[in-house]
Amino acid sequence: VTFSARVRVSGGLVAVMSAARDTPDEGVAVEGEEGWREFRFDMAQAIPAYLIAMAVGNLQSRAIGPRSRVWCEPCQLDAAQYEFSEVTEQYLATGERLFG
């Protein structure tokens, strides 16, 4: 399945999804709706429906490699960066080597 999504959140919440983000990390203001922001996502490559994932919360991100980021609550950011920074690029390279 391919898909696109628009997710509206209130306050300082952030939306993430298993698709390419078409908006800045902080989302875009929703015209006429004070305090609301919208996040847009697009998955152009067909994937199984069970791989669709979305999360909304008090999330921040940090780079863990040249092309990847980790997203989590601020209190877990240092631990998440430590946990994933060593292996993520290796996993991506292996996937590319196996599946193109």
Side-chain angles (χ1 to χ4, degrees):
V1 64
T2 62
F3 64 90
S4 62
R6 293 180 355 174
V7 181
R8 289 185 175 185
V9 301
S10 65
L13 300 178
V14 173
V16 294
M17 197 165 192
S18 58
R21 184 192 309 263
D22 292 336
T23 53
D25 283 352
E26 64 276 1
V28 294
V30 176
E31 188 174 330
E33 295 187 38
E34 184 75 26
W36 286 81
R37 295 180 298 156
E38 182 175 277
F39 296 84
R40 292 183 217 112
F41 303 92
D42 184 58
M43 175 55 76
Q45 182 175 0
I47 62 169
Y50 65 83
L51 292 179
I52 298 173
M54 179 180 65
V56 174
N58 177 21
L59 304 175
Q60 292 183 354
S61 71
R62 189 174 292 162
I64 56 171
R67 56 186 173 160
S68 56
R69 303 184 73 73
V70 65
W71 286 86
C72 61
E73 292 183 325
C75 64
Q76 296 292 321
L77 203 49
D78 289 337
Q81 180 184 24
Y82 175 79
E83 182 73 22
F84 293 106
S85 63
E86 293 288 323
V87 296
T88 300
E89 190 60 33
Q90 295 170 9
Y91 290 160
L92 292 171
T94 299
E96 288 171 340
R97 192 171 60 254
L98 293 172
F99 305 108

